Every structure is written in C-alpha cells, then in structure tokens.
Amino acid sequence: MSDDTRSELYAELAAVGPYGTHPGHALITLVEPHPGHEYAYNRWYEDDHYYAGAMAMPWMYAGRRWVATRDLQLLRYPEKSAVAQPVTTGCYLSTYWITAGRYDDHMRWTVAINKRLNRDGRVYHDRTHVLTAFQAHEATVYRDGATGPCDVHALDHPYAGLVLQVVEAGAPEQRPQLLEWLRSRHLPERLADSPAAMVTVFRPTPLPGDRMTYVKQVEGVDTRLTLLWFLQADPRECWETFFTGLDTAVGESGLGRVELVAPFIPTVPGTDRYVDRLR
C-alpha cells in the first residue's frame, strides 16, 4: 500500500466550495443488531465505525447516537409501520449533519471509504438497516425562537431525548403542502409549552447506485418527510402528554399519514450502557 496521501490536494480542495455551518443534509440511520450481537455491534460502532465510517469524513461535522431500550420501543406507533416491521425493530439511531452545498462531495467520499472498510474487514455485518437515508434539510421549527440552541448545535447540545417521526404524504404533489402545514401550523402548535426545543424536518434523497449492497434503496423519496424532535426531558416522562396522537393530527390534515413515531435517549459514548435493556 502506498504511503502517498496526496496531501497537496487538501490545500486545493479547502480553497473552494461552500464551508458554512448550516446543516444542509443529514444522515439518519436506524439499525437493529442481530440477537446475540448487541455488545459486539455497540463496541464496533462506537470504537470504529462512528469515526472511520462517519465523523472522519469531509463535511460531516456533527453526530450523535441514540438508543431505544425495550420500554421505549414499546411506546412506538403505529403498530403497522411501513418503516419498521415489527414497529419495535431498530434499537440504535445515528444522526449526522452535513455541510450545506457539500452533499455530492461527501457522497463520493463515503461510498469510497465504505468500499475500503469492507475490503479491510472493518464492517460488522450482523445487523439490519431498518432505515438508512441521506436527507435534505427542509425546515427547522423552534419552540423559543432565537433564544435557544440552533439546529447547528442540536447534535452537540445535551438533549435528554429525541423522537423520530416519519410522515408520508398522500401523493408526491401533496408533500409541499404537507411540509408547509407542518412548518407553519402543526409544529408551532405542538412545540408550544412542550419539552421539545426544536424540530428539524428533512426529505430523503436516493442512495447512489454503487452503495453497499446490505443497505437497501431509500423508499418514499417523493413522498416522505423525516422529523427529529429534540427533547429537554426523557421521552418517557412526557410521552402521554405530548407525543401520543401525532398520527391522528396528521391524518386529520388530509395531507398524509404517520408511518413511525419512535422515542430514543442518547447513548453514553465509551460505555455499554443500555445494551442489556434492548430485548
């Protein structure tokens, strides 16, 4: 293997292109380690893949892992979900921000590095990708306006929990209307006096044709929206009050339906905390 890292190209690339802090895209990946592999998967992801397969890549500048213990899994709805079958599937959620305007650059690197990781035996295959999608940022709605942390801080701020919500528009032409209803009416009303400080809204983008074969192509590219609710309280403490009935509200809008509402708490990096509470 050559030691030539072509260092001179780094100076050239740093001098061109966008380099703001706005999260233009996200990688959102919901994964289920296979039974009996929970500890090994957690150590591989935390010790190696979180860095080598994500944070060390160009333009991916923030990340956080979340976990759903069994009691949190049992709060999910609807029972019949187009995302997770059964709806409790997917113990771990990872979320990453990608610099606006750098999606194509990042994708070239991520496809290449994942091929290299596979070749070098650094990919843990005893897992199932329930939902893995790169997503374009559409909106962020804040509870407190400009007084709290912004979306750029969301993956570094010590939030106590996160709720993943996947919404499906009735038809592709309805998605812009669904987005506008969420942004201007539904989310501001739901956020008021709630433990959620903000909601970020994304739309999924297709994975490249040369993606890893164990990651399925993204569904609902023309119809779905993915919402991340960032909570200042443990989701178990506020679930009944604030997070039941999201499917009813969306259904009553006539613009779409909810396919998943799933609560998580943050992992504790460098530990196996919660691994014994997944089943």
Side-chain angles (χ1 to χ4, degrees):
M1 182 179 295
S2 173
D3 292 329
D4 179 15
T5 59
R6 305 185 192 180
S7 296
E8 69 280 359
L9 295 180
Y10 288 87
E12 295 179 24
L13 294 173
V16 296
Y19 66 118
T21 59
H22 177 68
H25 283 80
L27 170 59
I28 301 172
T29 175
L30 178 64
V31 172
E32 176 78 6
H34 294 171
H37 293 266
E38 295 86 357
Y39 283 93
Y41 168 78
N42 190 54
R43 290 275 43 88
W44 164 76
Y45 201 101
E46 282 205 347
D47 299 343
D48 190 9
H49 198 62
Y50 178 83
Y51 301 103
M55 294 303 297
M57 295 192 201
W59 310 114
M60 182 172 273
Y61 65 89
R64 175 161 289 190
R65 291 184 75 215
W66 312 83
V67 61
T69 52
R70 186 62 181 171
D71 57 338
L72 288 167
Q73 296 167 31
L74 293 174
L75 295 176
R76 295 179 183 179
Y77 65 91
E79 183 179 355
K80 293 184 178 180
S81 167
V83 177
Q85 300 92 33
V87 71
T88 52
T89 307
C91 299
Y92 285 103
L93 179 72
S94 296
T95 51
Y96 303 95
W97 289 169
I98 299 169
T99 302
R102 290 295 190 170
Y103 177 73
D104 291 340
D105 300 332
H106 175 79
M107 289 305 296
R108 289 190 175 191
W109 189 287
T110 191
V111 169
I113 201 68
N114 275 285
K115 288 182 179 179
R116 183 181 180 187
L117 290 169
N118 263 283
R119 186 180 66 240
D120 293 345
R122 288 174 64 180
V123 173
Y124 198 89
H125 290 289
D126 287 301
R127 56 176 172 148
T128 298
H129 283 262
V130 180
L131 171 68
T132 293
F134 287 87
Q135 315 233 5
H137 180 260
E138 288 287 354
T140 300
V141 181
Y142 297 100
R143 183 193 59 200
D144 304 320
T147 62
C150 297
D151 51 14
V152 67
H153 311 122
L155 302 185
D156 294 306
H157 188 79
Y159 285 112
L162 176 140
V163 173
L164 168 68
Q165 181 182 4
V166 179
V167 181
E168 191 95 29
E173 59 270 19
Q174 283 188 302
R175 187 167 66 178
Q177 302 170 55
L178 176 61
L179 173 62
E180 182 55 32
W181 175 77
L182 288 167
R183 177 167 42 198
S184 63
R185 294 182 54 191
H186 176 67
L187 293 178
E189 292 173 4
R190 283 276 178 167
L191 281 170
D193 300 319
S194 83
M198 74 177 83
V199 181
T200 57
V201 185
F202 297 89
R203 59 172 173 82
T205 57
L207 288 170
D210 54 353
R211 69 191 184 280
M212 296 298 98
T213 56
Y214 51 80
V215 181
K216 65 182 179 180
Q217 185 54 273
V218 178
E219 300 173 346
V221 169
D222 297 322
T223 52
R224 279 186 183 174
L225 293 171
T226 306
L227 287 67
L228 300 177
W229 300 69
F230 291 91
L231 311 185
Q232 294 173 317
D234 187 307
R236 288 164 290 206
E237 299 172 0
C238 54
W239 193 253
E240 292 296 327
T241 305
F242 291 101
F243 289 102
T244 58
L246 291 178
D247 52 346
T248 302
V250 173
E252 289 176 348
S253 74
L255 298 171
R257 63 187 182 278
V258 166
E259 290 291 358
L260 182 66
V261 181
F264 296 84
I265 54 176
T267 61
V268 181
T271 76
D272 288 321
R273 188 177 298 181
Y274 308 121
V275 176
D276 61 346
R277 294 168 55 190
L278 301 179
R279 307 300 181 194

